[in-house]
Amino acid sequence: MGLFDRLKERLTRTRTALSDGISSIFRGGRKIDAALLDELEELLYTSDLGPVATAISGELARLHKRGELKGEEDVRAKLREILLQKLDQAPAQLDFSTKPLVILIVGVNGSGKTTSIAKLCHRFAQQGKSVIVGAGDT
């Protein structure tokens, strides 16, 4: 299985988990309240959205307070819109003015940290930057 096949498979799994999770949260015509928004934030985290989940759930809570979100379909539509906006944003540029620049990589076993670190080191070295890698684990 190639890289793009694995990526497509994982994105499909994430999309399915997110969609099924939203349906589960709203099961029985449940109204939007603080508990539902907390469950939705947890779902976003467990669907591999990471720290973006807090910003998204905060935005959904703000829209709900303004009366713009009434139910599941409104949440789905707004969630889709927010996620598409996030994907459209240009990637943030690192500020190399501080020396040394320290990048902390954290994650669970098998999530690709070492591979990502190697790719970052290679890219920085190609740009003529000096790279030092330090390891610390439990």
Side-chain angles (χ1 to χ4, degrees):
M1 180 181 288
L3 173 68
F4 289 111
D5 292 331
R6 285 195 314 264
L7 179 62
K8 183 178 177 183
E9 176 189 327
R10 289 178 182 164
L11 288 174
T12 299
R13 258 191 286 160
T14 298
R15 184 185 67 227
T16 301
L18 190 56
S19 180
D20 291 349
I22 291 172
S23 295
S24 172
I25 289 172
F26 280 96
R27 187 163 286 132
R30 187 172 168 196
K31 300 288 184 199
I32 300 176
D33 59 6
L36 184 138
L37 290 171
D38 286 343
E39 288 179 41
L40 185 58
E41 181 176 3
E42 181 181 343
L43 174 65
L44 295 173
Y45 266 104
T46 58
S47 297
D48 298 329
L49 292 178
V52 174
T54 301
I56 292 173
S57 61
E59 176 67 10
L60 292 174
R62 186 184 68 77
L63 292 170
H64 173 64
K65 284 180 185 175
R66 289 177 40 185
E68 294 181 34
L69 298 179
K70 305 269 193 261
E72 181 178 355
E73 292 308 314
D74 292 340
V75 169
R76 284 181 185 274
K78 189 47 91 171
L79 183 59
R80 177 180 169 81
E81 180 182 321
I82 292 170
L83 289 173
L84 288 173
Q85 285 174 355
K86 295 277 183 201
L87 289 172
D88 259 352
Q89 292 176 353
Q93 297 295 318
L94 292 176
D95 179 16
F96 287 101
S97 63
T98 58
K99 304 270 183 185
L101 173 68
V102 178
I103 301 173
L104 175 67
I105 307 290
V106 182
V108 298
N109 293 342
S111 62
K113 298 178 299 295
T114 303
T115 303
S116 297
I117 292 167
K119 289 177 180 179
L120 286 170
C121 291
H122 180 70
R123 176 172 286 175
F124 293 150
Q126 284 182 323
Q127 294 173 359
K129 303 199 178 0
S130 298
V131 179
I132 298 174
V133 177
D137 59 358
T138 54

